[in-house]
Coordinates of all heavy atoms in Angstrom, one line a residue:
M1 N -16.2 59.9 12.2 CA -16.2 58.8 13.1 C -17.5 58.6 13.8 O -18.1 59.6 14.2 CB -15.1 59.0 14.1 CG -14.8 57.9 15.1 SD -13.5 58.2 16.2 CE -12.1 58.1 15.1
D2 N -18.0 57.4 13.9 CA -19.3 57.2 14.6 C -19.2 57.0 16.1 O -18.3 56.3 16.5 CB -20.0 55.9 14.0 CG -20.4 56.2 12.5 OD1 -20.6 57.4 12.1 OD2 -20.6 55.2 11.8
C3 N -20.1 57.6 16.8 CA -20.2 57.4 18.2 C -20.7 56.0 18.5 O -21.7 55.6 18.0 CB -21.1 58.4 18.9 SG -21.4 58.2 20.6
Q4 N -20.0 55.3 19.5 CA -20.5 53.9 19.9 C -21.8 54.0 20.6 O -22.5 53.0 20.8 CB -19.5 53.3 20.8 CG -18.1 53.2 20.2 CD -17.1 52.6 21.3 OE1 -17.5 51.9 22.2 NE2 -15.8 52.8 21.1
W5 N -22.1 55.2 21.2 CA -23.3 55.2 22.1 C -24.5 55.7 21.4 O -25.6 55.1 21.6 CB -22.9 56.2 23.3 CG -21.7 55.6 24.0 CD1 -20.4 55.9 23.8 CD2 -21.8 54.7 25.1 NE1 -19.6 55.2 24.6 CE2 -20.4 54.4 25.5 CE3 -22.8 54.1 25.8 CZ2 -20.1 53.6 26.5 CZ3 -22.5 53.2 26.8 CH2 -21.1 52.9 27.2
C6 N -24.4 56.8 20.6 CA -25.6 57.3 20.1 C -25.6 57.3 18.5 O -26.6 57.7 17.9 CB -25.9 58.8 20.5 SG -24.6 59.9 19.9
N7 N -24.5 56.7 18.0 CA -24.4 56.5 16.5 C -24.4 57.8 15.7 O -24.5 57.8 14.5 CB -25.5 55.6 16.0 CG -25.4 54.2 16.4 OD1 -24.3 53.7 16.5 ND2 -26.5 53.5 16.7
S8 N -24.2 58.9 16.4 CA -24.0 60.2 15.8 C -22.6 60.1 15.0 O -21.7 59.4 15.4 CB -23.9 61.3 16.8 OG -23.2 62.4 16.3
D9 N -22.6 60.8 13.9 CA -21.3 60.7 13.1 C -20.4 61.9 13.5 O -19.4 62.2 12.8 CB -21.5 60.7 11.6 CG -22.3 61.9 11.1 OD1 -22.6 62.8 11.9 OD2 -22.6 61.9 9.9
Q10 N -20.7 62.6 14.6 CA -20.0 63.8 15.0 C -18.8 63.5 16.0 O -18.1 64.4 16.4 CB -20.9 64.8 15.7 CG -21.9 65.4 14.7 CD -22.8 66.3 15.5 OE1 -22.4 67.2 16.2 NE2 -24.1 66.2 15.3
A11 N -18.7 62.2 16.3 CA -17.6 61.8 17.3 C -16.3 62.1 16.7 O -16.0 62.0 15.5 CB -17.8 60.4 17.7
A12 N -15.3 62.6 17.5 CA -14.0 62.9 17.0 C -13.0 62.5 18.0 O -13.2 62.3 19.2 CB -13.9 64.4 16.9
E13 N -11.8 62.3 17.5 CA -10.7 61.9 18.4 C -10.2 63.0 19.2 O -10.1 64.1 18.8 CB -9.5 61.3 17.6 CG -9.8 59.9 17.0 CD -8.6 59.4 16.2 OE1 -7.5 59.6 16.7 OE2 -8.9 58.8 15.2
T14 N -9.9 62.7 20.5 CA -9.4 63.7 21.4 C -8.4 63.1 22.4 O -8.1 61.9 22.2 CB -10.6 64.4 22.1 OG1 -10.1 65.4 23.0 CG2 -11.4 63.4 22.9
T15 N -8.0 63.8 23.4 CA -7.2 63.1 24.4 C -7.7 63.6 25.8 O -8.3 64.6 25.9 CB -5.7 63.5 24.3 OG1 -5.6 64.9 24.4 CG2 -5.0 63.0 23.1
G16 N -7.5 62.8 26.8 CA -8.0 63.1 28.1 C -7.3 62.3 29.2 O -6.5 61.5 28.9
T17 N -7.7 62.5 30.4 CA -7.2 61.8 31.5 C -8.1 60.7 31.9 O -9.3 60.9 32.0 CB -7.0 62.8 32.7 OG1 -6.1 63.9 32.3 CG2 -6.4 62.1 33.9
V18 N -7.5 59.5 32.1 CA -8.2 58.4 32.6 C -7.6 57.8 33.9 O -6.4 58.0 34.1 CB -8.3 57.2 31.6 CG1 -9.1 57.7 30.4 CG2 -7.0 56.7 31.2
Y19 N -8.4 57.2 34.7 CA -7.9 56.6 35.9 C -8.0 55.1 35.7 O -9.0 54.6 35.3 CB -8.7 57.0 37.1 CG -8.6 58.4 37.4 CD1 -9.4 59.4 36.8 CD2 -7.6 58.9 38.2 CE1 -9.3 60.7 37.0 CE2 -7.4 60.3 38.4 CZ -8.2 61.2 37.8 OH -8.1 62.5 38.0
W20 N -6.9 54.4 35.9 CA -6.8 53.0 35.6 C -6.4 52.2 36.8 O -5.4 52.5 37.4 CB -5.8 52.8 34.5 CG -6.3 51.7 33.5 CD1 -6.1 50.4 33.7 CD2 -7.0 51.9 32.3 NE1 -6.7 49.7 32.6 CE2 -7.2 50.6 31.7 CE3 -7.4 53.0 31.6 CZ2 -7.9 50.4 30.6 CZ3 -8.1 52.9 30.4 CH2 -8.3 51.6 29.9
E21 N -7.2 51.1 37.1 CA -6.8 50.3 38.2 C -5.7 49.3 37.7 O -5.9 48.7 36.6 CB -8.0 49.5 38.7 CG -7.8 48.8 40.0 CD -9.0 48.1 40.6 OE1 -10.1 48.7 40.5 OE2 -8.8 47.0 41.1
L22 N -4.7 49.1 38.5 CA -3.6 48.2 38.1 C -4.2 46.7 38.1 O -5.1 46.4 38.9 CB -2.4 48.3 39.1 CG -1.8 49.7 39.0 CD1 -0.6 49.7 40.0 CD2 -1.3 50.0 37.6
P23 N -3.6 45.9 37.3 CA -4.1 44.5 37.2 C -4.1 43.8 38.6 O -5.0 42.9 38.8 CB -3.1 43.8 36.3 CG -2.4 44.9 35.5 CD -2.5 46.1 36.4
D24 N -3.2 44.1 39.5 CA -3.2 43.5 40.8 C -4.2 44.1 41.8 O -4.3 43.7 42.9 CB -1.8 43.4 41.4 CG -1.2 44.8 41.6 OD1 -1.9 45.8 41.5 OD2 0.0 44.9 42.0
G25 N -4.8 45.2 41.3 CA -5.8 45.9 42.1 C -5.3 46.7 43.3 O -6.0 47.1 44.1
S26 N -3.9 46.8 43.3 CA -3.3 47.5 44.5 C -3.6 49.0 44.5 O -3.7 49.6 45.6 CB -1.8 47.3 44.5 OG -1.2 47.8 43.3
R27 N -3.7 49.6 43.4 CA -4.0 51.0 43.3 C -4.4 51.4 41.9 O -4.3 50.6 41.0 CB -2.7 51.9 43.8 CG -1.5 51.7 42.8 CD -0.3 52.3 43.4 NE 0.9 51.9 42.5 CZ 1.5 52.8 41.8 NH1 1.2 54.1 41.9 NH2 2.5 52.5 41.1
A28 N -4.8 52.7 41.8 CA -5.1 53.2 40.5 C -4.1 54.3 40.1 O -3.6 55.0 40.9 CB -6.5 53.8 40.5
I29 N -3.8 54.3 38.8 CA -3.0 55.4 38.3 C -3.7 56.3 37.4 O -4.8 56.0 36.9 CB -1.7 54.8 37.5 CG1 -2.2 53.9 36.4 CG2 -0.8 54.1 38.5 CD1 -1.1 53.6 35.4
E30 N -3.2 57.5 37.3 CA -3.8 58.5 36.4 C -3.0 58.6 35.1 O -1.8 58.8 35.1 CB -3.7 59.9 37.2 CG -4.5 61.0 36.5 CD -4.4 62.3 37.3 OE1 -3.6 62.3 38.3 OE2 -5.1 63.2 36.9
I31 N -3.7 58.4 34.0 CA -3.0 58.4 32.7 C -3.5 59.6 32.0 O -4.7 59.7 31.6 CB -3.2 57.2 31.9 CG1 -3.0 55.9 32.7 CG2 -2.4 57.2 30.6 CD1 -3.5 54.6 32.1
T32 N -2.6 60.6 31.7 CA -3.0 61.8 31.0 C -2.7 61.7 29.5 O -2.0 60.8 29.1 CB -2.3 63.1 31.6 OG1 -0.9 62.9 31.4 CG2 -2.6 63.2 33.1
E33 N -3.3 62.6 28.8 CA -3.1 62.6 27.3 C -3.5 61.3 26.7 O -2.8 60.9 25.7 CB -1.7 63.1 27.0 CG -1.4 64.5 27.4 CD 0.1 64.9 27.3 OE1 0.7 64.4 26.3 OE2 0.6 65.5 28.2
T34 N -4.4 60.6 27.2 CA -4.9 59.3 26.6 C -5.8 59.6 25.4 O -6.7 60.3 25.6 CB -5.6 58.5 27.7 OG1 -4.8 58.5 28.9 CG2 -5.9 57.1 27.2
P35 N -5.5 58.9 24.3 CA -6.4 59.1 23.2 C -7.8 58.6 23.5 O -8.0 57.6 24.2 CB -5.8 58.1 22.1 CG -4.4 57.9 22.5 CD -4.3 58.0 24.0
A36 N -8.8 59.4 23.1 CA -10.2 59.1 23.4 C -11.1 59.5 22.3 O -10.6 60.2 21.4 CB -10.6 59.8 24.7
I37 N -12.3 59.0 22.3 CA -13.3 59.4 21.3 C -14.3 60.3 22.1 O -14.9 59.8 23.1 CB -13.9 58.2 20.7 CG1 -12.8 57.4 19.9 CG2 -15.0 58.6 19.7 CD1 -13.2 56.0 19.7
S38 N -14.5 61.5 21.6 CA -15.5 62.4 22.2 C -16.6 62.7 21.3 O -16.4 62.9 20.1 CB -14.7 63.6 22.6 OG -15.6 64.6 23.1
C39 N -17.8 62.7 21.8 CA -19.0 62.9 21.0 C -19.8 64.1 21.5 O -20.3 64.1 22.6 CB -19.9 61.7 21.0 SG -21.5 61.9 20.2
P40 N -19.9 65.2 20.7 CA -20.6 66.3 21.1 C -22.1 66.1 21.2 O -22.8 66.8 21.9 CB -20.3 67.4 20.1 CG -19.8 66.6 18.9 CD -19.3 65.3 19.4
A41 N -22.6 65.1 20.5 CA -24.1 64.9 20.4 C -24.6 64.4 21.8 O -25.6 64.8 22.3 CB -24.4 64.0 19.3
C42 N -23.9 63.4 22.4 CA -24.4 62.8 23.6 C -23.5 63.1 24.8 O -23.7 62.7 25.9 CB -24.6 61.3 23.5 SG -23.1 60.4 23.3
G43 N -22.3 63.8 24.5 CA -21.4 64.2 25.6 C -20.6 63.1 26.1 O -19.9 63.2 27.1
M44 N -20.5 62.0 25.4 CA -19.8 60.8 25.9 C -18.3 60.9 25.5 O -18.0 61.3 24.3 CB -20.4 59.6 25.2 CG -20.0 58.3 25.8 SD -20.7 58.1 27.5 CE -19.5 57.0 28.2
T45 N -17.4 60.6 26.4 CA -16.0 60.5 26.0 C -15.5 59.1 26.5 O -15.7 58.7 27.6 CB -15.2 61.6 26.7 OG1 -15.6 62.8 26.3 CG2 -13.7 61.4 26.4
C46 N -14.9 58.3 25.6 CA -14.5 57.0 26.0 C -13.3 56.6 25.1 O -13.0 57.2 24.2 CB -15.6 56.0 25.9 SG -16.2 55.8 24.2
Q47 N -12.7 55.5 25.6 CA -11.6 54.9 24.9 C -12.1 53.8 24.0 O -13.0 53.1 24.3 CB -10.6 54.3 25.9 CG -9.6 55.4 26.5 CD -10.3 56.4 27.3 OE1 -11.1 56.0 28.2 NE2 -10.0 57.6 27.1
S48 N -11.4 53.6 22.9 CA -11.8 52.5 22.0 C -11.4 51.2 22.6 O -10.5 51.1 23.4 CB -11.1 52.7 20.6 OG -9.7 52.5 20.7
D49 N -12.1 50.1 22.2 CA -11.7 48.8 22.7 C -10.3 48.4 22.5 O -9.6 47.8 23.3 CB -12.6 47.7 22.0 CG -14.1 47.9 22.5 OD1 -14.3 48.6 23.4 OD2 -14.9 47.3 21.8
E50 N -9.8 48.8 21.3 CA -8.4 48.5 20.9 C -7.4 49.2 22.0 O -6.5 48.6 22.4 CB -8.0 49.0 19.5 CG -8.7 48.3 18.4 CD -10.1 48.9 18.2 OE1 -10.3 50.1 18.3 OE2 -11.0 48.1 17.9
L51 N -7.8 50.5 22.3 CA -6.9 51.2 23.2 C -7.0 50.6 24.6 O -5.9 50.5 25.3 CB -7.3 52.7 23.2 CG -6.3 53.5 23.9 CD1 -5.3 54.1 23.0 CD2 -6.9 54.5 24.8
V52 N -8.2 50.2 25.0 CA -8.3 49.6 26.3 C -7.5 48.4 26.4 O -6.7 48.2 27.4 CB -9.8 49.3 26.6 CG1 -9.9 48.4 27.8 CG2 -10.6 50.6 26.8
S53 N -7.5 47.5 25.4 CA -6.7 46.3 25.5 C -5.2 46.6 25.4 O -4.4 45.9 26.0 CB -7.1 45.2 24.5 OG -7.2 45.7 23.2
E54 N -4.9 47.6 24.7 CA -3.5 48.1 24.6 C -2.9 48.5 25.9 O -1.8 48.1 26.3 CB -3.4 49.3 23.6 CG -2.2 49.3 22.7 CD -2.2 50.5 21.8 OE1 -3.2 50.6 21.0 OE2 -1.3 51.3 21.9
I55 N -3.7 49.3 26.7 CA -3.3 49.7 28.0 C -3.2 48.5 29.0 O -2.3 48.3 29.7 CB -4.3 50.8 28.5 CG1 -4.1 52.1 27.7 CG2 -4.0 51.0 30.0 CD1 -5.1 53.1 28.1
E56 N -4.2 47.6 28.9 CA -4.2 46.5 29.8 C -3.1 45.5 29.5 O -2.4 45.0 30.5 CB -5.6 45.8 29.8 CG -6.6 46.7 30.4 CD -8.0 46.1 30.6 OE1 -8.3 45.1 29.9 OE2 -8.7 46.5 31.5
D57 N -2.8 45.3 28.3 CA -1.6 44.5 27.9 C -0.3 45.1 28.5 O 0.5 44.4 29.1 CB -1.5 44.4 26.4 CG -2.5 43.4 25.8 OD1 -3.2 42.8 26.5 OD2 -2.5 43.3 24.5
Q58 N -0.2 46.4 28.3 CA 1.0 47.0 28.7 C 1.1 46.9 30.2 O 2.2 46.7 30.7 CB 1.0 48.5 28.3 CG 2.1 49.4 28.7 CD 3.4 49.0 27.9 OE1 3.5 48.0 27.2 NE2 4.4 49.8 28.1
L59 N 0.0 47.1 31.0 CA 0.1 47.1 32.4 C 0.5 45.7 32.9 O 1.1 45.5 34.0 CB -1.2 47.5 33.0 CG -1.5 49.0 32.9 CD1 -2.9 49.4 33.5 CD2 -0.4 49.8 33.7
F60 N 0.1 44.7 32.2 CA 0.5 43.3 32.5 C 2.0 43.0 32.3 O 2.6 42.2 33.0 CB -0.3 42.3 31.7 CG -1.6 41.9 32.4 CD1 -2.8 42.2 31.9 CD2 -1.5 41.1 33.6 CE1 -4.0 41.8 32.6 CE2 -2.7 40.8 34.3 CZ -3.9 41.1 33.8
L61 N 2.5 43.7 31.3 CA 3.9 43.4 30.9 C 5.0 44.2 31.5 O 6.1 43.9 31.4 CB 4.0 43.5 29.4 CG 3.2 42.5 28.6 CD1 3.2 42.8 27.1 CD2 3.7 41.1 28.8
I62 N 4.6 45.3 32.2 CA 5.6 46.2 32.8 C 5.6 46.1 34.3 O 4.6 45.5 34.9 CB 5.4 47.7 32.4 CG1 4.0 48.2 32.9 CG2 5.5 47.9 30.9 CD1 3.8 49.7 32.7
D63 N 6.6 46.6 34.9 CA 6.7 46.6 36.4 C 5.9 47.7 36.9 O 6.3 48.9 37.0 CB 8.2 46.7 36.8 CG 8.3 46.6 38.3 OD1 7.3 46.3 39.0 OD2 9.4 46.8 38.8
T64 N 4.6 47.4 37.3 CA 3.7 48.5 37.7 C 4.1 49.1 39.1 O 3.6 50.2 39.5 CB 2.3 48.0 37.8 OG1 2.2 46.9 38.6 CG2 1.8 47.7 36.4
K65 N 4.9 48.4 39.9 CA 5.3 48.9 41.2 C 6.1 50.2 41.1 O 6.1 51.0 42.0 CB 6.1 47.9 42.0 CG 5.2 46.7 42.4 CD 6.0 45.7 43.3 CE 5.1 44.6 43.7 NZ 4.7 43.8 42.5
T66 N 6.8 50.4 40.0 CA 7.7 51.6 39.9 C 6.9 52.7 39.2 O 7.5 53.8 39.0 CB 9.0 51.2 39.1 OG1 8.6 50.8 37.8 CG2 9.7 50.1 39.8
L67 N 5.7 52.5 38.8 CA 5.0 53.5 38.0 C 4.6 54.7 38.9 O 4.2 54.5 40.1 CB 3.7 53.0 37.5 CG 3.7 52.1 36.2 CD1 2.3 51.7 35.8 CD2 4.4 52.9 35.0
P68 N 4.8 55.9 38.4 CA 4.4 57.1 39.2 C 2.8 57.1 39.3 O 2.2 56.4 38.5 CB 4.9 58.3 38.5 CG 5.1 57.8 37.1 CD 5.4 56.3 37.1
K69 N 2.3 57.9 40.2 CA 0.8 58.0 40.3 C 0.2 58.6 39.1 O -0.9 58.2 38.7 CB 0.5 59.0 41.5 CG -0.1 58.3 42.7 CD -0.5 59.3 43.8 CE -2.0 59.4 43.8 NZ -2.6 59.6 45.1
T70 N 0.9 59.5 38.5 CA 0.4 60.1 37.3 C 1.4 60.0 36.2 O 2.6 60.3 36.4 CB 0.1 61.6 37.5 OG1 -0.8 61.7 38.6 CG2 -0.5 62.3 36.3
L71 N 1.1 59.7 35.0 CA 2.0 59.7 33.9 C 1.2 59.9 32.6 O 0.0 59.7 32.6 CB 2.9 58.5 33.8 CG 2.4 57.1 33.3 CD1 3.5 56.2 33.2 CD2 1.3 56.5 34.2
T72 N 1.9 60.2 31.5 CA 1.2 60.4 30.3 C 1.0 59.1 29.6 O 1.8 58.1 29.8 CB 1.9 61.4 29.3 OG1 3.2 60.8 28.9 CG2 2.2 62.7 29.9
F73 N 0.1 59.0 28.7 CA -0.1 57.8 27.9 C 1.2 57.3 27.2 O 1.5 56.2 27.2 CB -1.3 58.0 26.9 CG -1.5 56.8 26.0 CD1 -2.1 55.7 26.4 CD2 -1.1 56.9 24.7 CE1 -2.3 54.6 25.6 CE2 -1.3 55.8 23.8 CZ -1.9 54.7 24.3
Q74 N 1.8 58.3 26.6 CA 3.1 58.1 25.9 C 4.1 57.5 26.8 O 4.8 56.5 26.4 CB 3.6 59.4 25.3 CG 4.0 59.3 23.9 CD 4.4 60.6 23.3 OE1 4.4 61.6 24.0 NE2 4.9 60.6 22.1
D75 N 4.3 58.0 28.0 CA 5.2 57.5 29.0 C 4.9 56.1 29.4 O 5.8 55.2 29.5 CB 5.3 58.4 30.3 CG 6.0 59.6 30.0 OD1 6.7 59.7 29.0 OD2 5.9 60.5 30.9
L76 N 3.6 55.8 29.6 CA 3.2 54.5 29.9 C 3.6 53.4 28.9 O 4.1 52.4 29.1 CB 1.6 54.4 30.1 CG 1.1 53.0 30.4 CD1 1.5 52.5 31.8 CD2 -0.5 53.1 30.4
M77 N 3.3 53.8 27.6 CA 3.6 52.9 26.5 C 5.1 52.7 26.3 O 5.5 51.8 25.7 CB 2.9 53.3 25.2 CG 1.4 53.3 25.3 SD 0.8 51.9 26.3 CE 0.0 50.9 25.1
A78 N 5.9 53.7 26.8 CA 7.3 53.6 26.6 C 8.0 52.9 27.7 O 9.2 52.6 27.7 CB 7.9 55.1 26.6
Q79 N 7.3 52.4 28.8 CA 7.9 51.7 29.9 C 8.4 50.4 29.3 O 7.7 49.7 28.5 CB 6.8 51.3 30.9 CG 6.2 52.5 31.6 CD 7.2 53.2 32.5 OE1 7.9 52.6 33.3 NE2 7.2 54.6 32.5
P80 N 9.6 50.0 29.7 CA 10.1 48.7 29.3 C 9.3 47.5 29.7 O 8.9 47.5 30.9 CB 11.6 48.7 29.9 CG 11.5 49.6 31.0 CD 10.5 50.6 30.7
R81 N 9.1 46.6 28.8 CA 8.3 45.4 29.2 C 9.2 44.3 29.8 O 10.3 44.0 29.3 CB 7.6 44.8 27.9 CG 6.6 45.8 27.4 CD 5.9 45.3 26.2 NE 4.7 46.1 25.9 CZ 3.7 45.8 25.1 NH1 3.8 44.7 24.5 NH2 2.7 46.6 24.9
L82 N 8.8 43.8 31.0 CA 9.6 42.9 31.7 C 9.8 41.6 30.9 O 10.9 41.0 31.0 CB 8.9 42.5 33.0 CG 8.7 43.6 34.0 CD1 7.9 43.1 35.2 CD2 10.1 44.0 34.6
L83 N 8.8 41.1 30.2 CA 8.9 39.9 29.5 C 10.1 39.8 28.5 O 10.7 38.8 28.2 CB 7.6 39.5 28.8 CG 6.5 39.2 29.7 CD1 5.2 38.8 28.9 CD2 6.8 38.0 30.6
K84 N 10.3 41.0 27.9 CA 11.4 41.1 26.9 C 12.8 40.7 27.5 O 13.6 40.2 26.8 CB 11.5 42.5 26.4 CG 10.7 42.8 25.2 CD 11.1 44.1 24.5 CE 10.2 44.3 23.3 NZ 10.3 45.6 22.8
R85 N 12.9 40.9 28.8 CA 14.2 40.6 29.4 C 14.5 39.1 29.4 O 15.6 38.7 29.5 CB 14.3 41.1 30.8 CG 14.3 42.7 30.9 CD 14.4 43.1 32.3 NE 14.1 44.6 32.4 CZ 13.7 45.2 33.4 NH1 13.7 44.6 34.6 NH2 13.4 46.5 33.4
N86 N 13.5 38.3 29.3 CA 13.7 36.9 29.2 C 14.2 36.5 27.9 O 14.8 35.4 27.7 CB 12.4 36.2 29.5 CG 11.8 36.5 30.9 OD1 12.6 36.7 31.8 ND2 10.5 36.4 31.1
Y87 N 14.0 37.3 26.9 CA 14.3 36.9 25.5 C 15.7 37.5 25.1 O 16.4 36.9 24.3 CB 13.3 37.3 24.5 CG 11.9 36.7 24.8 CD1 10.8 37.5 25.0 CD2 11.8 35.3 24.9 CE1 9.6 37.0 25.3 CE2 10.5 34.8 25.2 CZ 9.4 35.6 25.4 OH 8.2 35.1 25.7
F88 N 16.0 38.6 25.7 CA 17.3 39.3 25.3 C 18.2 39.3 26.4 O 17.9 39.7 27.5 CB 17.0 40.7 24.8 CG 16.1 40.7 23.6 CD1 14.8 41.1 23.7 CD2 16.5 40.3 22.3 CE1 13.9 41.1 22.6 CE2 15.7 40.3 21.2 CZ 14.4 40.7 21.4
K89 N 19.4 38.9 26.2 CA 20.5 39.0 27.2 C 21.3 40.2 27.0 O 21.8 40.5 26.0 CB 21.4 37.8 27.2 CG 20.6 36.5 27.7 CD 21.5 35.3 27.7 CE 20.8 34.1 28.2 NZ 21.2 32.9 27.6
F90 N 21.4 41.0 28.1 CA 22.2 42.2 28.0 C 23.7 42.0 28.4 O 23.9 41.2 29.3 CB 21.6 43.4 28.9 CG 20.3 43.8 28.4 CD1 19.1 43.5 29.0 CD2 20.2 44.6 27.2 CE1 17.9 43.9 28.5 CE2 19.0 45.0 26.7 CZ 17.8 44.7 27.4
Ligands
ZN1 ZN1 -22.7 60.1 21.0

C-alpha cells in the first residue's frame, strides 16, 4: 500500500483512536479501533478518504445525542440510522 504523504510503499493498514467532531459541532467523540493507514517511513497515520466519508455519512444519519463519549468504530457503524425509520414501518 502506498503512503499518501511520502509515497513510500511501506504503508500498512492498522487501527487506532480518532477524535471526531459531531456534524452539529456540539462535541467531539472518541472512536477507537478505527481502521487507519500507518506509514513507518514518515510516521504518518491517517484515515482513507473513503473511511472519512463513511464516518461522516454515518454521523449525519444516526442520533448523535445518544452516542457515548467513547465507542468503537464497529459500534458506531452499527448504530441504527434514523432515516431508515421513515421507510420502514414497525
Ligand atoms: Zn509515508
Side-chain angles (χ1 to χ4, degrees):
M1 186 178 287
D2 290 340
C3 174
Q4 303 175 22
W5 299 89
C6 69
N7 293 322
S8 157
D9 60 4
Q10 293 175 50
E13 283 181 42
T14 180
T15 57
T17 299
V18 293
Y19 295 89
W20 216 276
E21 193 178 320
L22 297 181
D24 63 7
S26 59
R27 64 191 174 112
I29 53 165
E30 188 180 6
I31 310 168
T32 61
E33 293 169 42
T34 310
I37 298 160
S38 172
C39 174
C42 66
M44 197 67 205
T45 299
C46 66
Q47 277 66 46
S48 69
D49 290 346
E50 294 80 41
L51 190 94
V52 167
S53 50
E54 219 178 299
I55 292 176
E56 289 189 336
D57 284 355
Q58 179 71 350
L59 288 175
F60 267 113
L61 294 171
I62 62 175
D63 184 4
T64 54
K65 289 185 180 66
T66 62
L67 280 181
K69 248 184 110 146
T70 303
L71 78 173
T72 65
F73 175 74
Q74 228 176 356
D75 283 347
L76 175 67
M77 293 326 246
Q79 297 290 316
R81 297 184 165 192
L82 293 173
L83 291 180
K84 268 191 179 168
R85 289 183 197 161
N86 297 331
Y87 301 122
F88 300 106
K89 287 182 181 146
F90 292 106

